[in-house]
Amino acid sequence: MSVVLLLLVAAAVGGAACVVWAERGGPRWVRIVARVTLGITSLVRSAQKNGRRSTGGSSSNSWSSDSSGD
């Protein structure tokens, strides 16, 4: 289990590094990895928003009371 978590963290850090590098004009493969990373981030965010809506706002988590107006 800890190996899987370690791999996920390494992939997240590597993806974030590629996003930064792509912003500075990195090679083509870096721009592709950055696009994939940003796409996965977008999917995760929308899944979190949909999950929060389906609970009806009755969750006791502090992050669920976001009033940023996204």
Side-chain angles (χ1 to χ4, degrees), residues 43-67:
L43 288 173
V44 169
R45 283 185 175 184
S46 66
Q48 285 179 340
K49 286 182 182 180
N50 289 339
R52 282 189 264 171
R53 284 187 198 129
S54 68
T55 61
S58 62
S59 176
S60 63
N61 293 334
S62 61
W63 55 266
S64 67
S65 60
D66 184 17
S67 60

Side-chain angles (χ1 to χ4, degrees), residues 19-62:
V19 169
V20 172
W21 192 6
E23 284 290 321
R24 297 175 181 232
R28 181 181 173 114
W29 69 268
V30 170
R31 293 191 302 266
I32 292 170
V33 172
R35 278 192 209 124
V36 170
T37 301
L38 292 173
I40 291 171
T41 302
S42 176
L43 288 173
V44 169
R45 283 185 175 184
S46 66
Q48 285 179 340
K49 286 182 182 180
N50 289 339
R52 282 189 264 171
R53 284 187 198 129
S54 68
T55 61
S58 62
S59 176
S60 63
N61 293 334
S62 61

Side-chain angles (χ1 to χ4, degrees), residues 1-15:
M1 180 67 179
S2 62
V3 173
V4 173
L5 181 61
L6 182 62
L7 289 174
L8 286 174
V9 169
V13 170

